[in-house]
Amino acid sequence: VVSHTSELNRFLPIKPCKTTPPTIFSGTPEVDLSHPEAKTIMVKACQDYGFFKLINHGVSFHLISNLENHALNFFSQPQSLKHMAAPPHDPFGYGSSRIGSNGDVGRVEYLLLNTNPDVLSPNSLLILHQLPVLFRCALEEYMVAMKKMCCEVLEVMAEGLGIGERNALSRVVGDQRSDSCFRLNYYPPVAADGNMLIGFGEHTDPQIISVLRSNSESGLQICLNDGSWVSVPPDPTSFFINVGDSLQVMTNRRFKSVKHRVLAESKKSRMSMIYFGGAALSEKIAPLKSLMSKDEESLYKEFTWLEYKNAAYKSRLADNRLSLFEK
Ligand code: GA4
């Protein structure tokens, strides 16, 4: 059993938020991947919220809980061991409190990994080799399943958008060189004083889509079109899918990337695992030709994923990163 108090002292000071209980969102769109109408519901959810819950996804619960157990073991180790997977000046690897390199902080510990062996930096290999072999295997197995599921979702989406080529979106994430990443977030339990802390501050994800799975502790909130924040009831048997900035561009803003955040509010620890399906570094992120109507113009300047990623990593979490690329 690990004493959390000593660990928590390591967190940077984070201001508590208002104590008013968050509004629980009862309207999470639910997409049943095995249902013939999945495509229609998915497209509507991406237009209305940039967010939906995926059920009947076909990923085995054993695979998920196996990774979760390894991850819990990892985070319950002493800091000195976790820091062996934290190369200096690298956003990848183990981290706590600091998110990105531009001053954002949150009450979270994480392990951030690049998923593509072709674009793995020497540091990423070093990080992976710091992890127990069985943890590494569980990670690899999970990432393979996530990539496959991401592609399935993107194919249903393309169909729902009425795009002729079913793989117009999925080929980007399915590409061998796709620059996807994976993140385990561990939110330690909070004191029972009713205060909430920012676990992971508001932001949109820069990639195409993100697939999140969490345990049964709450904390995830999304921002609705009217600017209000609502709490998403957790469901450890489902995945939550976010539209990322790249998909907003590829659909010429038919879909909106969803602003979300995590509040540390639970007396038990929250664990989430997120797969960020991205494009290859050289891929042009632009509205899909097959989707655009005859006289429709792109709302964005031309850019590659590498250009966008570089800009994103220079930004603060809450910045509107896409505004730099709007026409
Ligand atoms: C948000 C989505 C992913 O978690 C992430 C994050 C990345 C990081 O943690 O290093 C960023 C953030 C995320 C967007 C803006 C920059 C970069 C932290 C940050 C302040 C891994 C990603 O790709 O972008």
Side-chain angles (χ1 to χ4, degrees):
V1 180
V2 185
S3 146
H4 282 296
T5 23
S6 60
E7 303 272 294
L8 293 188
N9 292 337
R10 296 176 174 278
F11 283 94
L12 299 168
I14 295 154
K15 271 195 250 119
C17 333
K18 274 200 308 231
T19 48
T20 43
T23 310
I24 311 278
F25 187 44
S26 56
T28 307
E30 208 171 271
V31 176
D32 177 343
L33 204 50
S34 65
H35 195 278
E37 273 318 298
K39 57 177 195 278
T40 317
I41 302 165
M42 196 185 285
V43 165
K44 185 157 181 1
C46 292
Q47 287 165 342
D48 296 348
Y49 300 101
F51 179 80
F52 60 90
K53 172 164 147 171
L54 191 71
I55 62 167
N56 285 327
H57 44 67
V59 179
S60 103
F61 195 74
H62 169 75
L63 190 122
I64 300 171
S65 59
N66 180 39
L67 177 59
E68 186 180 4
N69 290 335
H70 283 290
L72 278 171
N73 285 339
F74 172 81
F75 287 111
S76 66
Q77 296 178 106
Q79 285 292 335
S80 55
L81 286 182
K82 289 185 275 194
H83 273 284
M84 307 223 332
H89 317 296
D90 191 323
F92 289 94
Y94 169 76
S96 71
S97 300
R98 287 193 173 78
I99 298 169
S101 42
N102 305 309
D104 289 293
V105 291
R107 198 169 178 285
V108 64
E109 290 183 55
Y110 60 83
L111 185 65
L112 183 58
L113 301 168
N114 198 301
T115 68
N116 182 2
D118 289 356
V119 293
L120 279 185
S121 65
N123 267 351
S124 306
L125 289 173
L126 192 137
I127 297 160
L128 279 177
H129 287 275
Q130 289 305 321
L131 309 176
V133 146
L134 288 179
F135 184 18
R136 230 158 62 205
C137 290
L139 279 163
E140 269 152 28
E141 209 186 347
Y142 188 82
M143 288 189 213
V144 169
M146 286 302 101
K147 185 168 189 169
K148 181 167 170 273
M149 206 211 23
C150 252
C151 290
E152 265 170 54
V153 167
L154 291 171
E155 284 176 11
V156 172
M157 209 177 263
E159 217 181 289
L161 282 165
I163 298 173
E165 325 136 75
R166 207 177 136 81
N167 70 351
L169 291 166
S170 64
R171 62 145 197 94
V172 184
V173 172
D175 189 315
Q176 243 201 33
R177 292 156 306 141
S178 96
D179 180 46
S180 299
C181 56
F182 184 66
R183 164 166 227 142
L184 291 165
N185 284 331
Y186 173 82
Y187 301 92
V190 293
D193 58 6
N195 271 335
M196 287 186 274
L197 298 163
I198 296 289
F200 208 112
E202 65 173 84
H203 66 284
T204 59
D205 294 337
Q207 291 83 0
I208 297 174
I209 57 169
S210 319
V211 182
L212 174 141
R213 188 272 175 185
S214 79
N215 66 0
S216 46
E217 297 312 308
S218 59
L220 174 67
Q221 300 198 333
I222 62 166
C223 185
L224 303 181
N225 288 332
D226 64 2
S228 62
W229 286 96
V230 288
S231 224
V232 179
D235 178 353
T237 64
S238 305
F239 291 103
F240 291 93
I241 313 276
N242 287 348
V243 169
D245 296 342
S246 300
L247 187 55
Q248 175 170 322
V249 175
M250 292 165 99
T251 58
N252 213 22
R253 224 183 271 153
R254 285 167 179 72
F255 293 176
K256 279 287 302 284
S257 61
V258 62
K259 227 198 273 174
H260 57 288
R261 65 183 182 190
V262 175
L263 295 187
E265 57 179 9
S266 181
K267 281 158 209 72
K268 291 197 191 139
S269 57
R270 174 182 158 91
M271 168 83 88
S272 60
M273 21 218 231
I274 312 125
Y275 179 86
F276 301 94
L281 295 173
S282 58
E283 181 80 32
K284 282 211 172 81
I285 307 294
L288 296 168
K289 295 240 160 51
S290 42
L291 183 64
M292 303 272 272
S293 48
K294 211 167 128 259
D295 299 316
E296 189 175 338
E297 295 211 357
S298 171
L299 299 168
Y300 302 91
K301 299 171 196 159
E302 276 213 350
F303 59 91
T304 61
W305 168 240
L306 177 63
E307 286 165 323
Y308 192 63
K309 186 181 169 181
N310 285 342
Y313 276 74
K314 286 191 192 122
S315 68
R316 294 292 300 261
L317 209 47
D319 287 349
N320 178 351
R321 284 171 274 285
L322 269 183
S323 64
L324 292 171
F325 296 87
E326 277 162 9
K327 269 189 184 162

mmCIF file of all heavy atoms in Angstrom, residues 91-92 99-102 104 110 112 181 183 200 203-207 276 305 312-317 321, ligand 1:
data_model
loop_
_atom_site.group_PDB
_atom_site.id
_atom_site.type_symbol
_atom_site.label_atom_id
_atom_site.label_comp_id
_atom_site.label_asym_id
_atom_site.label_seq_id
_atom_site.Cartn_x
_atom_site.Cartn_y
_atom_site.Cartn_z
ATOM 1 N N PRO A 91 8.523 15.807 -23.655
ATOM 2 C CA PRO A 91 7.133 15.719 -23.204
ATOM 3 C C PRO A 91 6.699 14.268 -22.977
ATOM 4 O O PRO A 91 5.720 14.002 -22.286
ATOM 5 C CB PRO A 91 6.323 16.347 -24.345
ATOM 6 C CG PRO A 91 7.220 16.283 -25.542
ATOM 7 C CD PRO A 91 8.637 16.295 -25.025
ATOM 8 N N PHE A 92 7.456 13.320 -23.570
ATOM 9 C CA PHE A 92 7.061 11.916 -23.445
ATOM 10 C C PHE A 92 7.665 11.291 -22.192
ATOM 11 O O PHE A 92 8.626 11.795 -21.637
ATOM 12 C CB PHE A 92 7.466 11.132 -24.702
ATOM 13 C CG PHE A 92 6.605 11.527 -25.872
ATOM 14 C CD1 PHE A 92 7.008 12.517 -26.758
ATOM 15 C CD2 PHE A 92 5.359 10.951 -26.037
ATOM 16 C CE1 PHE A 92 6.193 12.910 -27.802
ATOM 17 C CE2 PHE A 92 4.543 11.339 -27.082
ATOM 18 C CZ PHE A 92 4.954 12.322 -27.970
ATOM 19 N N ILE A 99 2.060 19.856 -17.331
ATOM 20 C CA ILE A 99 1.480 19.346 -18.578
ATOM 21 C C ILE A 99 2.053 20.185 -19.716
ATOM 22 O O ILE A 99 1.915 21.407 -19.699
ATOM 23 C CB ILE A 99 -0.062 19.422 -18.544
ATOM 24 C CG1 ILE A 99 -0.591 18.530 -17.412
ATOM 25 C CG2 ILE A 99 -0.653 19.019 -19.885
ATOM 26 C CD1 ILE A 99 -2.055 18.717 -17.100
ATOM 27 N N GLY A 100 2.708 19.559 -20.654
ATOM 28 C CA GLY A 100 3.383 20.294 -21.714
ATOM 29 C C GLY A 100 4.548 21.072 -21.116
ATOM 30 O O GLY A 100 4.896 20.882 -19.948
ATOM 31 N N SER A 101 5.133 21.987 -21.922
ATOM 32 C CA SER A 101 6.323 22.672 -21.388
ATOM 33 C C SER A 101 6.125 24.175 -21.296
ATOM 34 O O SER A 101 7.078 24.934 -21.291
ATOM 35 C CB SER A 101 7.538 22.324 -22.243
ATOM 36 O OG SER A 101 7.162 22.364 -23.591
ATOM 37 N N ASN A 102 4.847 24.597 -21.261
ATOM 38 C CA ASN A 102 4.633 26.055 -21.269
ATOM 39 C C ASN A 102 3.900 26.567 -20.031
ATOM 40 O O ASN A 102 3.200 27.575 -20.090
ATOM 41 C CB ASN A 102 3.897 26.454 -22.553
ATOM 42 C CG ASN A 102 4.655 25.943 -23.767
ATOM 43 O OD1 ASN A 102 5.855 26.177 -23.879
ATOM 44 N ND2 ASN A 102 3.980 25.215 -24.637
ATOM 45 N N ASP A 104 1.625 24.904 -17.935
ATOM 46 C CA ASP A 104 0.354 24.336 -17.467
ATOM 47 C C ASP A 104 0.607 23.292 -16.381
ATOM 48 O O ASP A 104 1.545 22.506 -16.482
ATOM 49 C CB ASP A 104 -0.401 23.695 -18.637
ATOM 50 C CG ASP A 104 -0.936 24.748 -19.584
ATOM 51 O OD1 ASP A 104 -1.829 25.486 -19.167
ATOM 52 O OD2 ASP A 104 -0.422 24.858 -20.714
ATOM 53 N N TYR A 110 1.133 11.127 -15.132
ATOM 54 C CA TYR A 110 0.842 10.506 -16.427
ATOM 55 C C TYR A 110 2.044 9.772 -17.001
ATOM 56 O O TYR A 110 3.190 9.967 -16.558
ATOM 57 C CB TYR A 110 0.347 11.557 -17.435
ATOM 58 C CG TYR A 110 1.345 12.666 -17.704
ATOM 59 C CD1 TYR A 110 2.373 12.499 -18.631
ATOM 60 C CD2 TYR A 110 1.265 13.868 -17.019
ATOM 61 C CE1 TYR A 110 3.287 13.504 -18.864
ATOM 62 C CE2 TYR A 110 2.183 14.881 -17.243
ATOM 63 C CZ TYR A 110 3.189 14.700 -18.165
ATOM 64 O OH TYR A 110 4.110 15.687 -18.380
ATOM 65 N N LEU A 112 3.160 9.287 -20.965
ATOM 66 C CA LEU A 112 2.826 9.647 -22.346
ATOM 67 C C LEU A 112 3.775 8.911 -23.288
ATOM 68 O O LEU A 112 4.991 8.965 -23.109
ATOM 69 C CB LEU A 112 2.964 11.176 -22.491
ATOM 70 C CG LEU A 112 2.602 11.808 -23.822
ATOM 71 C CD1 LEU A 112 1.160 11.500 -24.212
ATOM 72 C CD2 LEU A 112 2.790 13.335 -23.754
ATOM 73 N N CYS A 181 -0.442 8.981 -30.414
ATOM 74 C CA CYS A 181 0.189 8.784 -29.120
ATOM 75 C C CYS A 181 -0.804 8.241 -28.100
ATOM 76 O O CYS A 181 -2.009 8.141 -28.371
ATOM 77 C CB CYS A 181 0.921 10.030 -28.633
ATOM 78 S SG CYS A 181 -0.053 11.497 -28.520
ATOM 79 N N ARG A 183 -1.753 7.956 -23.790
ATOM 80 C CA ARG A 183 -1.520 8.594 -22.497
ATOM 81 C C ARG A 183 -2.273 7.851 -21.404
ATOM 82 O O ARG A 183 -3.450 7.505 -21.575
ATOM 83 C CB ARG A 183 -2.030 10.024 -22.655
ATOM 84 C CG ARG A 183 -2.250 10.775 -21.420
ATOM 85 C CD ARG A 183 -2.415 12.258 -21.721
ATOM 86 N NE ARG A 183 -1.575 12.924 -20.778
ATOM 87 C CZ ARG A 183 -0.844 13.990 -21.013
ATOM 88 N NH1 ARG A 183 -0.843 14.555 -22.196
ATOM 89 N NH2 ARG A 183 -0.116 14.500 -20.070
ATOM 90 N N PHE A 200 -6.775 18.137 -15.194
ATOM 91 C CA PHE A 200 -6.207 18.401 -16.520
ATOM 92 C C PHE A 200 -7.019 19.559 -17.096
ATOM 93 O O PHE A 200 -8.229 19.435 -17.274
ATOM 94 C CB PHE A 200 -6.352 17.138 -17.381
ATOM 95 C CG PHE A 200 -5.305 16.997 -18.450
ATOM 96 C CD1 PHE A 200 -4.345 16.000 -18.379
ATOM 97 C CD2 PHE A 200 -5.276 17.871 -19.536
ATOM 98 C CE1 PHE A 200 -3.380 15.860 -19.376
ATOM 99 C CE2 PHE A 200 -4.313 17.744 -20.526
ATOM 100 C CZ PHE A 200 -3.358 16.734 -20.444
ATOM 101 N N HIS A 203 -8.929 22.075 -22.773
ATOM 102 C CA HIS A 203 -8.171 22.064 -24.030
ATOM 103 C C HIS A 203 -8.959 21.286 -25.086
ATOM 104 O O HIS A 203 -9.906 20.565 -24.757
ATOM 105 C CB HIS A 203 -6.804 21.384 -23.828
ATOM 106 C CG HIS A 203 -6.907 19.922 -23.500
ATOM 107 N ND1 HIS A 203 -7.282 19.462 -22.259
ATOM 108 C CD2 HIS A 203 -6.720 18.809 -24.260
ATOM 109 C CE1 HIS A 203 -7.309 18.146 -22.261
ATOM 110 N NE2 HIS A 203 -6.975 17.707 -23.474
ATOM 111 N N THR A 204 -8.520 21.412 -26.314
ATOM 112 C CA THR A 204 -9.003 20.509 -27.362
ATOM 113 C C THR A 204 -7.805 19.643 -27.750
ATOM 114 O O THR A 204 -6.656 20.038 -27.548
ATOM 115 C CB THR A 204 -9.498 21.273 -28.614
ATOM 116 O OG1 THR A 204 -8.407 22.054 -29.135
ATOM 117 C CG2 THR A 204 -10.679 22.171 -28.306
ATOM 118 N N ASP A 205 -8.077 18.458 -28.287
ATOM 119 C CA ASP A 205 -6.984 17.581 -28.692
ATOM 120 C C ASP A 205 -6.564 17.934 -30.125
ATOM 121 O O ASP A 205 -7.419 18.113 -30.994
ATOM 122 C CB ASP A 205 -7.425 16.115 -28.621
ATOM 123 C CG ASP A 205 -7.696 15.677 -27.189
ATOM 124 O OD1 ASP A 205 -7.153 16.301 -26.252
ATOM 125 O OD2 ASP A 205 -8.462 14.707 -26.991
ATOM 126 N N PRO A 206 -5.265 18.024 -30.377
ATOM 127 C CA PRO A 206 -4.824 18.434 -31.714
ATOM 128 C C PRO A 206 -5.012 17.369 -32.805
ATOM 129 O O PRO A 206 -5.060 17.704 -33.980
ATOM 130 C CB PRO A 206 -3.329 18.711 -31.534
ATOM 131 C CG PRO A 206 -3.058 18.704 -30.071
ATOM 132 C CD PRO A 206 -4.143 17.913 -29.428
ATOM 133 N N GLN A 207 -5.113 16.096 -32.415
ATOM 134 C CA GLN A 207 -5.107 15.005 -33.412
ATOM 135 C C GLN A 207 -6.455 14.878 -34.141
ATOM 136 O O GLN A 207 -7.263 15.782 -34.121
ATOM 137 C CB GLN A 207 -4.756 13.689 -32.711
ATOM 138 C CG GLN A 207 -3.322 13.588 -32.212
ATOM 139 C CD GLN A 207 -3.087 14.252 -30.849
ATOM 140 O OE1 GLN A 207 -4.007 14.796 -30.250
ATOM 141 N NE2 GLN A 207 -1.859 14.233 -30.379
ATOM 142 N N PHE A 276 -4.630 8.776 -28.930
ATOM 143 C CA PHE A 276 -4.824 9.946 -29.796
ATOM 144 C C PHE A 276 -4.453 9.541 -31.220
ATOM 145 O O PHE A 276 -3.268 9.359 -31.516
ATOM 146 C CB PHE A 276 -3.933 11.105 -29.345
ATOM 147 C CG PHE A 276 -4.188 11.539 -27.923
ATOM 148 C CD1 PHE A 276 -3.437 11.021 -26.873
ATOM 149 C CD2 PHE A 276 -5.194 12.453 -27.623
ATOM 150 C CE1 PHE A 276 -3.669 11.410 -25.560
ATOM 151 C CE2 PHE A 276 -5.440 12.848 -26.316
ATOM 152 C CZ PHE A 276 -4.680 12.322 -25.286
ATOM 153 N N TRP A 305 0.621 17.960 -40.643
ATOM 154 C CA TRP A 305 0.490 17.598 -39.225
ATOM 155 C C TRP A 305 1.733 18.038 -38.454
ATOM 156 O O TRP A 305 1.643 18.521 -37.335
ATOM 157 C CB TRP A 305 0.215 16.102 -39.068
ATOM 158 C CG TRP A 305 0.354 15.627 -37.657
ATOM 159 C CD1 TRP A 305 1.213 14.682 -37.206
ATOM 160 C CD2 TRP A 305 -0.388 16.079 -36.494
ATOM 161 N NE1 TRP A 305 1.065 14.525 -35.836
ATOM 162 C CE2 TRP A 305 0.087 15.366 -35.381
ATOM 163 C CE3 TRP A 305 -1.398 17.038 -36.300
ATOM 164 C CZ2 TRP A 305 -0.397 15.561 -34.088
ATOM 165 C CZ3 TRP A 305 -1.890 17.229 -35.004
ATOM 166 C CH2 TRP A 305 -1.396 16.501 -33.914
ATOM 167 N N ALA A 312 1.287 23.439 -31.848
ATOM 168 C CA ALA A 312 0.537 23.019 -30.660
ATOM 169 C C ALA A 312 1.460 22.886 -29.453
ATOM 170 O O ALA A 312 1.132 23.322 -28.355
ATOM 171 C CB ALA A 312 -0.175 21.697 -30.921
ATOM 172 N N TYR A 313 2.623 22.296 -29.666
ATOM 173 C CA TYR A 313 3.520 22.070 -28.533
ATOM 174 C C TYR A 313 4.151 23.365 -28.017
ATOM 175 O O TYR A 313 4.753 23.369 -26.945
ATOM 176 C CB TYR A 313 4.558 20.986 -28.864
ATOM 177 C CG TYR A 313 3.966 19.606 -28.618
ATOM 178 C CD1 TYR A 313 3.031 19.069 -29.502
ATOM 179 C CD2 TYR A 313 4.262 18.868 -27.479
ATOM 180 C CE1 TYR A 313 2.433 17.841 -29.272
ATOM 181 C CE2 TYR A 313 3.664 17.628 -27.238
ATOM 182 C CZ TYR A 313 2.756 17.126 -28.148
ATOM 183 O OH TYR A 313 2.151 15.905 -27.894
ATOM 184 N N LYS A 314 3.974 24.462 -28.793
ATOM 185 C CA LYS A 314 4.452 25.762 -28.299
ATOM 186 C C LYS A 314 3.344 26.508 -27.571
ATOM 187 O O LYS A 314 3.550 27.592 -27.036
ATOM 188 C CB LYS A 314 4.930 26.621 -29.486
ATOM 189 C CG LYS A 314 6.254 26.161 -30.030
ATOM 190 C CD LYS A 314 6.799 27.181 -31.011
ATOM 191 C CE LYS A 314 7.969 26.612 -31.778
ATOM 192 N NZ LYS A 314 7.759 26.619 -33.222
ATOM 193 N N SER A 315 2.122 25.964 -27.607
ATOM 194 C CA SER A 315 0.973 26.706 -27.065
ATOM 195 C C SER A 315 0.679 26.300 -25.628
ATOM 196 O O SER A 315 1.236 25.342 -25.113
ATOM 197 C CB SER A 315 -0.256 26.448 -27.940
ATOM 198 O OG SER A 315 -0.673 25.105 -27.807
ATOM 199 N N ARG A 316 -0.197 27.087 -24.988
ATOM 200 C CA ARG A 316 -0.708 26.715 -23.672
ATOM 201 C C ARG A 316 -1.920 25.824 -23.883
ATOM 202 O O ARG A 316 -2.591 25.900 -24.919
ATOM 203 C CB ARG A 316 -1.134 27.973 -22.890
ATOM 204 C CG ARG A 316 -0.008 28.920 -22.515
ATOM 205 C CD ARG A 316 0.926 28.330 -21.485
ATOM 206 N NE ARG A 316 0.271 27.991 -20.219
ATOM 207 C CZ ARG A 316 0.289 28.751 -19.122
ATOM 208 N NH1 ARG A 316 0.919 29.915 -19.136
ATOM 209 N NH2 ARG A 316 -0.303 28.349 -18.009
ATOM 210 N N LEU A 317 -2.220 25.047 -22.867
ATOM 211 C CA LEU A 317 -3.294 24.060 -22.967
ATOM 212 C C LEU A 317 -4.620 24.669 -23.457
ATOM 213 O O LEU A 317 -5.276 24.132 -24.344
ATOM 214 C CB LEU A 317 -3.474 23.425 -21.579
ATOM 215 C CG LEU A 317 -3.980 22.013 -21.470
ATOM 216 C CD1 LEU A 317 -3.263 21.066 -22.406
ATOM 217 C CD2 LEU A 317 -3.847 21.522 -20.032
ATOM 218 N N ARG A 321 -5.711 26.760 -30.647
ATOM 219 C CA ARG A 321 -4.584 26.524 -31.547
ATOM 220 C C ARG A 321 -4.950 26.663 -33.016
ATOM 221 O O ARG A 321 -4.146 27.086 -33.830
ATOM 222 C CB ARG A 321 -4.018 25.121 -31.302
ATOM 223 C CG ARG A 321 -3.191 25.023 -30.059
ATOM 224 C CD ARG A 321 -2.825 23.603 -29.735
ATOM 225 N NE ARG A 321 -3.857 22.936 -28.964
ATOM 226 C CZ ARG A 321 -4.084 23.159 -27.676
ATOM 227 N NH1 ARG A 321 -3.351 24.019 -27.025
ATOM 228 N NH2 ARG A 321 -5.041 22.535 -27.026
HETATM 229 C C1 GA4 B 1 -3.453 17.574 -25.462
HETATM 230 C C2 GA4 B 1 -3.755 16.157 -25.979
HETATM 231 C C3 GA4 B 1 -2.662 15.133 -25.612
HETATM 232 O O1 GA4 B 1 -2.766 14.791 -24.226
HETATM 233 C C4 GA4 B 1 -1.247 15.706 -25.896
HETATM 234 C C5 GA4 B 1 -1.077 16.945 -25.017
HETATM 235 C C6 GA4 B 1 0.287 17.653 -25.034
HETATM 236 C C7 GA4 B 1 1.187 17.210 -23.868
HETATM 237 O O2 GA4 B 1 0.710 16.838 -22.818
HETATM 238 O O3 GA4 B 1 2.418 17.326 -24.031
HETATM 239 C C8 GA4 B 1 -0.035 19.171 -25.002
HETATM 240 C C9 GA4 B 1 -1.574 19.282 -25.277
HETATM 241 C C10 GA4 B 1 -1.990 17.907 -25.746
HETATM 242 C C11 GA4 B 1 -1.906 20.373 -26.313
HETATM 243 C C12 GA4 B 1 -1.054 21.669 -26.168
HETATM 244 C C13 GA4 B 1 0.373 21.408 -25.681
HETATM 245 C C14 GA4 B 1 0.760 19.969 -26.029
HETATM 246 C C15 GA4 B 1 0.317 19.926 -23.720
HETATM 247 C C16 GA4 B 1 0.349 21.346 -24.186
HETATM 248 C C17 GA4 B 1 0.276 22.386 -23.377
HETATM 249 C C18 GA4 B 1 -0.194 14.644 -25.712
HETATM 250 C C19 GA4 B 1 -1.231 16.351 -27.245
HETATM 251 O O4 GA4 B 1 -0.875 15.857 -28.291
HETATM 252 O O5 GA4 B 1 -1.631 17.668 -27.128
#
